[in-house]
Amino acid sequence: MGAEDIRKDLDEFQASVKRLGSGVNRASVLWKDAKFQELSGAVRRIANMSRDVIVSGEECCRSIDRFESIAQEKY
């Protein structure tokens, strides 16, 4: 799996998390009970954790790019 594949997966993951957050925000108009507040809090925690995943994925991609660049050097 190359860096481009990982970047594509990261983009899909990020879009999924955004869709989840948007869906919960739209539902907030209809639901105002304690269970919804619990769900909303859980989605916020998922969004925060997803940032860590995305940052780690981006670092991984940069490392792969550096490795491939070094591997292409002629000695």
Side-chain angles (χ1 to χ4, degrees):
M1 177 177 274
E4 289 306 313
D5 292 331
I6 294 172
R7 284 185 182 100
K8 180 180 164 224
D9 289 345
L10 285 172
D11 289 342
E12 290 175 12
F13 175 73
Q14 188 171 26
S16 295
V17 171
K18 284 181 181 180
R19 281 193 304 273
L20 175 63
S22 295
V24 169
N25 283 338
R26 283 192 304 274
S28 70
V29 173
L30 303 173
W31 299 336
K32 297 287 184 189
D33 63 358
K35 285 293 184 186
F36 176 77
Q37 294 302 321
E38 185 179 330
L39 172 65
S40 181
V43 170
R44 274 194 300 278
R45 286 189 297 278
I46 289 169
N48 287 336
M49 288 186 282
S50 73
R51 271 187 250 141
D52 293 339
V53 170
I54 291 167
V55 167
S56 294
E58 289 170 349
E59 290 174 2
C60 178
C61 289
R62 284 192 298 274
S63 295
I64 291 170
D65 290 341
R66 280 193 305 266
F67 176 81
E68 289 176 349
S69 174
I70 291 168
Q72 297 299 321
E73 290 179 4
K74 304 281 185 198
Y75 292 98

